[in-house]
Amino acid sequence: MAWRQAGNDLFKRKEYAKAIMAYSKEITDHPDDHVLISNRAEAFLKLKQYTEAYHDALDVTVRCDTDVKGHYRLARALSGLDRFEEARGHLETALRLDRSNCAVADELKSVRALALARRKVKWTNLLCTLLDEAQESAPM
């Protein structure tokens, strides 16, 4: 319990790397505590360590599929990894679990916009490639 409190205190002081170390020590003693793992995921997110946050948040959602924070943190990690469609799914799950969660609703709007922009860029790039190929193969 001492490491958990130390992690929480360090997190509040925005000493995220030290908080991660404290949470990790407590997780060693309590490996099934999904709240500790979720807290460490949030600290990873604060440091933009999206791969580590992804693994922790995924672990949380596997252990407790009704954990709103777990789905929210997993979605934020996926967004950081440019996996917007997957992020959208977890945000929709979180919102189904807690319809009044404004942070989740706002993040869902952002992720939908990013996913749409990504699809537009993808289609634009494809169109440009096809036009370039058509011009190269056209007789002069």
Side-chain angles (χ1 to χ4, degrees):
M1 192 60 133
W3 286 115
R4 176 193 302 260
Q5 188 57 51
N8 291 344
D9 293 342
L10 289 161
F11 188 92
K12 288 176 191 170
R13 293 196 309 262
K14 300 183 180 185
E15 296 181 50
Y16 303 120
K18 289 180 181 178
I20 289 167
M21 290 189 309
Y23 289 137
S24 295
K25 288 180 181 181
E26 186 76 9
I27 290 166
T28 300
D29 294 335
H30 304 282
D32 295 326
D33 189 333
H34 74 277
V35 174
L36 275 171
I37 298 166
S38 182
N39 288 352
R40 187 173 67 179
E42 182 64 24
F44 280 129
L45 285 167
K46 294 290 187 183
L47 294 175
K48 298 183 179 357
Q49 294 179 0
Y50 299 118
T51 301
E52 293 83 354
Y54 165 80
H55 290 293
D56 274 359
L58 181 62
D59 189 13
V60 170
T61 60
V62 167
R63 291 169 188 265
C64 181
D65 65 352
T66 59
D67 188 307
V68 174
K69 285 183 181 179
H71 286 285
Y72 178 56
R73 290 172 177 164
L74 181 54
R76 289 170 45 222
L78 286 163
S79 291
L81 296 169
D82 294 334
R83 293 165 60 179
F84 302 116
E85 291 298 330
E86 291 171 84
R88 183 177 56 83
H90 286 282
L91 289 166
E92 288 171 350
T93 297
L95 204 53
R96 273 194 304 277
L97 293 168
D98 181 2
R99 294 247 177 241
S100 65
N101 193 317
C102 294
V104 171
D106 289 345
E107 187 74 15
L108 181 56
K109 288 177 191 172
S110 296
V111 165
R112 283 179 174 156
L114 289 167
L116 179 61
R118 173 65 50 88
R119 284 193 303 273
K120 286 181 179 180
V121 167
K122 193 175 181 179
W123 282 105
T124 300
N125 289 341
L126 178 62
L127 182 59
C128 289
T129 300
L130 291 172
L131 288 171
D132 287 345
E133 289 174 1
Q135 286 177 340
E136 288 173 7
S137 65
M140 296 208 173

